[in-house]
Amino acid sequence: DEFISSPPRKTVRFGGTLVDILMKYEKGETTDFELLKHQLSDPDIKDGQIINWLHEFRASVIYLTKEREQLVNILLKLPWLRRSREVVEEYLGFLGNLVSAQTVHLRPCLRMIVLQFVPPRITIREDDVDISDSDDDDENLSENFNTCHRALQTIARYVPSTPQFLMPILVENFPFFNKSERTLECYVHNLLRVTVYLPTLRLQILELIIEKLLKLDVSTPQQDIEDAEENANNSDSEEKSTEEGLFDMEEDEERKGNKVVSSSSERMAHPLAERLDILMTILFSYIKDVCHVNGKLDISNTKDLYRDLVSGFDKLILPTHASCHVQYFMFYLCSFKLGLAEAFLDHLWKKLQDPNNASVIRQTAGSYIGSFLARAKFIPVVTVKACLDLLVNWIHKYIDNQDKGANVYCDVALHGPFYSTCQAVFYTLIFRHKQLLDGNLRKGLSYLQSLNFERIVMCQLNPLKICIPSVVNLFAAITRKYQLVFCYTIIERNNRQFLPVVRSGSGGDLVQTCTNPLDSFFPFDPYILKRSKKTIEPFYQFWEELSAEDLENLKKPIKKGTSEDEDDDFLKGETPQNDGVVGIAPNSYESNTRSPLSSIGSPPDCYVPYP
């Protein structure tokens, strides 16, 4: 009775075993083979069927040669990730057997896994139109990614050459920037996870990520980001004003500690900036996790990562003009230990002084040194002094060598690295002069006098004519206050020599004065991505805006006895107010443009009025 009442056991067999089907196919009997392909391609295939077939395929991988590529591709398209644990384990076993017996299928297997590094595609129907999009809300994503990395480790265990085949696949499958933020976030996160168990790929993967971030960074100018934020803030304020007085009860409930909770407060208004912000946050987290073990800095891990990141910096960041954010991975890494910051400065210094490097690379290295010394809170005054000594001594030797030559005149093309180094020194002094003089004014002044700024400023190469005016004017004000050098005579002469440049365009002729002949920029100017800047801000030196009292003090020399004739008109016009701050570092897209309000954190442009 029990036998009669029980249903017959379901079978997945037709036409014999897998080996029989493959043998018949070789003889030209394709019916069973087509049925097999049809069943494996069935979207409604049951877990039990998958397990039974995989079990047979594992035992028959010797038959899955290059000629059976079509069948293998069907197996690789099986929806194994979102199945029961038994299916996942069976599939991982099948992959191991397949690549160890038939390495010809290694690339397709790796490609199949890498394609799972992003959320799956789903079809959404809107207004009778099918729209394909990524399923960003898949709750099993994390577990699926873990399984993918297990699969990669399994393959790498069986095939030692896996890394060299994997890297091109990782490159070609990197998502385009118009994909969703979640897609980019998942892919980059999974790339960084690969570096943990395939360390030989770490340098290449980091360079790939840096390259992609850099393209995103330079295609999103800081001006565009700030304009988007300003427009978003204006539209928000307009909406609030129209809804004023409504929903007062809800407003009370939303307040926590006198702050309104806003889920969108950290989102960037510019879509590409939002993607860059998310990816920079991931990169910063990765750097922190690699360098710290159980909350403590691991020196060995940190040194290894430093070497890889410096390599990426040299190859990608240094030759790129006016990137705004990506270079901050070096800033953040160097904040972990002073030795790293000193090593980075030494690395840049070698780039700067090496005449075998291209002039533009040497100039950029000078910009990085100046910006890093000025902005990094974690660099102590003793290190700043050591760097200033190196830079100033090099400048004096350069002047000595030029005095003997025939090219002793102001020319950016000939002396670009010299002017970049001068600007780095001036910029560092603007930010650090208070610390250099703090404690013992006499000793500090003696040190600054020993740098002999007067010789640098008065030399025939005339650095004050080439450096950015905002830097020159603040440097002139500070050095005048401490009676180090009087720059205004030279600045006035240089201003008379500036010739306007006429540029013809579709809108007519435009007269411009070149205020940035070096085309220089300061790579560590204020970081404006909302999420990731929280990582940078604790270590970052913002520009302290000059109050009216400070500006007044800058007019007064530190020493008494100067005649009235020696006094100048520095900043006798209007005092710059907080609502009109101008960024010190012109961006590459517009070298003499005033930055908008949100770029507070750089010194203001201080132009000297003359009678």
Side-chain angles (χ1 to χ4, degrees), residues 266-267 274 277-278 281 529-535:
E266 289 191 344
R267 282 190 66 86
E274 171 69 9
D277 194 9
I278 291 169
T281 304
L529 301 178
K530 292 180 182 177
R531 290 184 193 85
S532 46
K533 77 176 179 181
K534 293 176 183 176
T535 305

Side-chain angles (χ1 to χ4, degrees), residues 465-476:
K465 185 176 182 180
I466 301 299
C467 296
I468 294 174
S470 52
V471 175
V472 168
N473 283 282
L474 280 168
F475 172 77

Side-chain angles (χ1 to χ4, degrees), residues 77 151 293 356 364 489 558:
K77 290 177 182 176
V293 178
N356 294 317
T364 307
T489 306
I558 197 74

